[in-house]
Amino acid sequence: HGKMHKSTDSKSVRGDFDMTIENNDKWINLEEAADYLSVNKDTIRNWIRKDTGIPAHKIGKLWKFKKSELDDWVKSGKSANI
């Protein structure tokens, strides 16, 4: 029984880790990106227009973002030069 319990534990830890990665890498819309970065939607639109390097992808008429790319953009320091 102890052995079985141990394997369940390691599985659930790995499962949580996978979920985090997945959640960070799903496409989010402009509103969610603004919320994620704690800024206004218009601010995001301005950043896209000013070519600040913000990782925005146009899908049809909509801008889409990935949280992981936004994280990298902020960590890279590019977001500090706006």
Side-chain angles (χ1 to χ4, degrees):
H1 181 259
K3 194 177 180 187
M4 200 170 150
H5 185 255
K6 198 173 182 183
S7 76
T8 318
D9 272 357
S10 71
K11 227 186 215 152
S12 85
V13 169
R14 208 176 301 129
D16 290 347
F17 185 65
D18 288 348
M19 285 272 287
T20 310
I21 298 223
E22 210 173 294
N23 285 346
N24 265 354
D25 232 27
K26 66 174 189 168
W27 292 102
I28 58 172
N29 63 27
L30 194 129
E31 200 167 323
E32 290 169 306
D35 194 45
Y36 185 63
L37 295 175
S38 303
V39 296
N40 192 295
K41 285 185 293 188
D42 291 335
T43 304
I44 300 260
R45 286 194 191 98
N46 285 337
W47 289 346
I48 294 167
R49 249 196 311 271
K50 287 180 185 164
D51 198 22
T52 55
I54 188 167
H57 306 271
K58 200 146 198 201
I59 300 175
K61 290 180 178 171
L62 303 173
W63 287 103
K64 295 287 183 179
F65 306 82
K66 282 202 169 174
K67 286 183 177 180
S68 60
E69 292 181 356
L70 290 172
D71 288 342
D72 289 344
W73 178 66
V74 171
K75 285 180 204 156
S76 76
K78 288 180 188 146
S79 61
N81 304 325
I82 297 165

